[in-house]
């Protein structure tokens, strides 16, 4: 599920199949259907033949106690499977819904999710009143208002199968944040299990992965892939050469993420590893393949990322899932592309194809300025502004001794590669609108700053932004522990490049924001900060 529409009562479900069904016929997509209800019994009793009959007749819903949503499907690389999406509309905030995907050719198991609650900070914890509201979806000025609070999350202890425990604070909404994650590493697989358990326990209202999703561009034939590692969820695609290993890795990642993403909306940002299939010359192994040129082009320019996730670009005035915004409770989130559409953005092009990357339609910086202007006009409804991107602006891996971002590599290893250009493009907009948090990934570790502007630490409670990099979910590249000897700038609050971890952003009933960073091994709290309204 994802932030694909701007409608407050809508969730989009996406899934993958190896067979096209009616997609290949370019006819009505009778195999791209979702059946949903607030009763698991009604869906559990639904048979494929009944589903097929309802699909053929256009019926379903009223008499059977369930509703049906028809969607669309597409394929972006030959033999790589088919990607389906359908929007479920008319959903009530705070209510749990059950759903199955498919049709007469087969139905999935029953999955469930709870629509995000509405949030008015003045309502008492436990008040279950409801008067509409904004869930995931909708940019500034989108449909819906905040209304009265549905039941808050109480303080919650989640126990994991390996004995680890996470104590999550009470609040109106919780969002898990991470970046730079694969399932080829043991840490990445553990992160996926942690995320799944939290979502299945109803502890989360959304999941964010801010780029470098799956690291499919690091997998190719003859090297480690989810299939060669016998990782659960690997089903060999029928694509050949480059396409097969790349798609196998994406599919295994999404299978590992299914317990989490089937139960809570998924939010994504584009990272450099989504650009194409050829990071660091990986595609040279297929240089002699007859289909190499076609596959390289099909997988270029963020193709997998743009097809596998549907975000709120069109409805929030942005562009697809490259830059967009949405509201969740008391927070307005704007997701931007640190890889494209601003002066000096990195090209990330690794494949030998005759096409340019990025340069998507629209002016990202003008959009962000306008989006935050509208959001500022609604701060009486949503007082918090959060910007999400893949690359950091302020990081000790790319900084001068005076504390200013630089595009140069850090002395002991690779830096962010574009920190100075990101600062020049985005910081004036963030500062002008009083953005509270900038959340990012990229550097395989954890950092948090004090409020900072133009390389200088600013007073707590000022109009300046706190920058947090949480990219320690785990991947084959490991943690960049060599960062420990970097400059200790005045704006740095804390840094940890030795522990894998996941972060949670909680909006509290008193109107505050609480950020907690949890050690992946035992889910204890490694860092936290509370922002007061």
């Amino acid at each position: 599920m994802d932030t694909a529409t701007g409608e407050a009562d809508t969730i989009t479900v996406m899934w993958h199949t190896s067979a096209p069904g009616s997609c290949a016929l370019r006819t009505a997509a009778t195999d791209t259907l979702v059946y949903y209800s607030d009763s698991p019994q009604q869906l559990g009793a639904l048979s494929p033949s009944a589903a097929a009959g309802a699909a053929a007749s256009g019926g379903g819903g009223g008499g059977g106690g369930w509703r049906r949503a028809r969607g669309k499907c597409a394929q972006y690389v030959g033999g790589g499977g088919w990607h389906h999406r359908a929007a479920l509309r008319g959903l009530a905030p705070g209510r749990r819904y059950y759903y199955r995907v498919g049709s007469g050719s087969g139905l999935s198991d029953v999955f469930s999710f709870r629509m995000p609650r509405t949030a008015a900070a003045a309502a008492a914890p436990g008040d279950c009143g409801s008067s509409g509201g904004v869930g995931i979806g909708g940019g500034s000025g989108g449909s819906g208002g905040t209304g009265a609070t549905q039941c808050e999350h109480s303080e919650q202890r989640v126990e994991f199968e390996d004995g680890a425990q996470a104590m999550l604070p009470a609040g109106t909404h919780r969002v898990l944040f991470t970046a730079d994650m694969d399932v080829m590493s043991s840490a990445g697989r553990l992160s996926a299990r942690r995320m799944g358990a939290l979502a299945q326990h109803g502890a989360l209202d959304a999941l964010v992965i801010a780029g470098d999703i799956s690291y499919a561009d690091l997998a190719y034939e003859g090297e480690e892939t989810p299939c060669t590692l016998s990782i659960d969820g690997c089903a060999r695609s029928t694509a050949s050469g480059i396409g097969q290993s790349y798609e196998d890795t994406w599919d295994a990642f999404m299978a590992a993420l299914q317990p989490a993403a089937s139960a809570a909306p998924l939010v994504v940002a584009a990272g450099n590893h989504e650009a194409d299939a050829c990071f660091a010359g990986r595609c040279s192994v297929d240089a002699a393949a007859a289909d190499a040129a076609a596959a390289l082009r099909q997988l270029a320019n963020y193709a997998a990322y743009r097809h596998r996730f549907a975000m709120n670009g069109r409805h929030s005035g942005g562009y697809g899932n490259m830059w967009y915004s949405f509201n969740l409770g008391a927070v307005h989130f704007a997701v931007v592309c640190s890889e494209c559409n601003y002066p000096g953005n990195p090209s990330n092009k690794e494949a030998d194809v005759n096409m340019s990357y990025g340069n998507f339609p629209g002016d990202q910086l003008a959009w962000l300025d306008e989006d935050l202007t509208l959001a500022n006009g609604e701060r009486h409804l949503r007082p918090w502004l959060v910007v999400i991107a893949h690359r950091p602006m302020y990081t000790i891996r790319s900084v001068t001794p005076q504390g200013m971002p630089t595009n140069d590599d850090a002395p002991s290893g690779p830096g962010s590669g574009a920190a100075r250009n990101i600062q020049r493009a985005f910081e004036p907009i963030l500062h002008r609108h009083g953005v509270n948090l900038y959340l990012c990934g990229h550097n395989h570790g954890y950092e948090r700053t004090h409020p900072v502007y133009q390389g200088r630490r600013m007073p707590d409670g000022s109009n300046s932004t706190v920058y947090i990099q949480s990219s320690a979910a785990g991947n084959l590249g490991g943690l960049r522990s060599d960062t420990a000897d970097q400059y200790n700038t005045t704006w740095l609050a804390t840094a940890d490049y030795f522990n894998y971890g996941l972060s949670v952003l909680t909006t509290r009933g008193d109107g505050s924001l609480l950020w907690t960073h949890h050690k992946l091994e035992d889910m204890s709290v490694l860092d936290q900060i509370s922002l007061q309204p």
Side-chain angles (χ1 to χ4, degrees):
M1 294 179 294
D2 44 61
T3 57
T5 79
E7 300 170 26
D9 63 349
T10 301
I11 284 289
T12 295
V13 177
M14 299 190 71
W15 68 100
H16 168 271
T17 61
S18 57
S22 59
C23 295
L25 303 178
R26 308 289 184 186
T27 60
T30 55
D31 286 338
T32 299
L33 296 167
V34 181
Y35 304 86
Y36 61 107
S37 171
D38 57 8
S39 167
Q41 291 79 16
Q42 291 167 342
L43 280 186
L46 179 65
S47 67
S49 59
S57 66
W66 44 265
R67 287 178 278 175
R68 188 192 72 246
R70 186 186 301 276
K72 299 178 180 180
C73 54
Q75 183 186 53
Y76 62 86
V77 61
W82 295 81
H83 302 276
H84 307 253
R85 67 181 66 177
L88 282 54
R89 293 185 165 86
L91 308 178
R95 181 171 296 176
R96 180 162 293 279
Y97 290 91
Y98 301 84
Y99 66 100
R100 302 177 75 177
V101 303
S103 68
S105 60
L107 292 173
S108 71
D109 294 336
V110 177
F111 298 97
S112 74
F113 64 90
R114 179 180 51 77
M115 280 295 285
R117 303 169 173 89
T118 57
D127 179 2
C128 292
S130 175
S131 60
V134 175
I136 290 283
S140 297
S143 60
T146 49
T149 298
Q150 297 255 339
C151 295
E152 283 192 330
H153 291 290
S154 60
E155 186 177 56
Q156 186 174 3
R157 182 188 301 275
V158 177
E159 297 185 359
F160 301 91
E161 59 183 11
D162 61 358
Q165 296 183 355
M167 180 61 73
L168 301 178
T172 59
H173 295 83
R174 296 195 195 109
V175 177
L176 184 142
F177 182 91
T178 194
D180 300 79
M181 175 181 171
D182 68 14
V183 293
M184 293 181 284
S185 65
S186 58
R189 293 193 294 276
L190 180 56
S191 285
R193 294 196 296 274
R194 296 277 192 253
M195 293 161 69
L198 291 169
Q200 293 291 327
H201 276 81
L204 303 174
D205 294 287
L207 307 156
V208 179
I209 306 179
D212 286 5
I213 307 166
S214 87
Y215 286 84
D217 62 340
L218 295 184
Y220 62 100
E221 281 307 304
E223 298 293 327
E224 290 183 338
T225 71
C227 291
T228 61
L229 294 173
S230 300
I231 292 172
D232 291 343
C234 177
R236 302 294 298 201
S237 75
T238 58
S240 61
I242 298 163
Q244 184 178 67
S245 55
Y246 188 73
E247 288 297 286
D248 286 346
T249 306
W250 266 112
D251 293 346
F253 181 88
M254 299 307 296
L257 201 65
Q258 178 175 284
S262 64
L266 176 63
V267 177
V268 294
N272 53 295
H273 282 279
E274 283 79 75
D276 59 34
C278 302
F279 186 77
R282 260 48 178 197
C283 292
S284 62
V285 71
D286 268 343
D291 63 346
L296 288 179
R297 190 171 185 85
Q298 289 170 340
L299 298 174
N301 201 21
Y302 307 89
Y305 173 83
R306 290 188 288 120
H307 281 83
R308 286 178 178 266
F309 306 105
M311 297 291 125
N312 190 35
R314 182 165 67 91
H315 297 278
S316 61
Y319 182 77
N321 52 15
M322 304 310 289
W323 60 89
Y324 60 95
S325 67
F326 64 95
N327 301 318
L328 178 60
V331 183
H332 177 76
F333 292 90
V335 180
V336 299
C337 180
S338 63
E339 314 307 304
C340 65
N341 288 72
Y342 65 90
N345 63 259
S347 76
N348 296 331
K349 183 177 179 179
E350 299 279 353
D352 185 15
V353 293
N354 185 22
M355 60 187 300
S356 61
Y357 282 25
N359 298 317
F360 297 106
D363 186 330
Q364 176 180 208
L365 299 180
W367 167 83
L368 180 62
D369 196 22
E370 181 179 1
D371 182 80
L372 294 178
T373 297
L374 293 171
N376 257 316
E378 297 179 341
R379 273 192 130 148
H380 61 291
L381 298 175
R382 289 172 292 277
W384 299 104
L385 302 183
V386 176
V387 171
I388 295 170
H390 174 61
R391 293 180 190 251
M393 184 185 310
Y394 285 98
T395 169
I396 56 175
R397 293 191 63 83
S398 297
V399 63
T400 69
Q402 294 74 37
M404 287 296 288
T406 174
N407 293 331
D408 297 332
D409 288 348
S412 61
S416 76
R420 179 60 171 152
N421 292 344
I422 293 171
Q423 184 213 21
R424 287 171 172 163
F426 290 96
E427 187 179 40
I429 301 174
L430 272 57
H431 189 72
R432 181 159 60 249
H433 296 290
V435 169
N436 305 103
L437 290 173
Y438 178 96
L439 307 179
C440 64
H442 188 64
N443 279 344
H444 302 190
Y446 180 80
E447 294 184 36
R448 174 173 60 83
T449 75
H450 298 289
V452 58
Y453 178 61
Q454 289 292 305
R456 300 187 303 274
R457 178 179 174 176
M458 307 300 286
D460 292 342
S462 67
N463 195 45
S464 299
T465 304
V466 171
Y467 295 82
I468 301 179
Q469 171 198 292
S470 179
S471 54
N475 59 72
L476 288 176
L479 297 170
R480 289 179 171 164
S481 56
D482 61 345
T483 304
D485 62 353
Q486 300 301 303
Y487 301 117
N488 185 14
T489 65
T490 59
W491 44 253
L492 179 66
T494 186
D496 182 354
Y497 282 86
F498 295 96
N499 292 291
Y500 292 103
L502 300 169
S503 301
V504 178
L505 180 66
T506 304
T507 53
R508 309 297 300 275
D510 62 1
S512 64
L513 273 186
L514 179 64
W515 172 273
T516 52
H517 182 61
H518 300 258
K519 185 177 182 179
L520 183 63
E521 181 181 6
D522 59 10
M523 293 303 286
S524 60
V525 175
L526 292 171
D527 182 46
Q528 70 177 40
I529 181 175
S530 179
L531 302 181
Q532 301 301 316

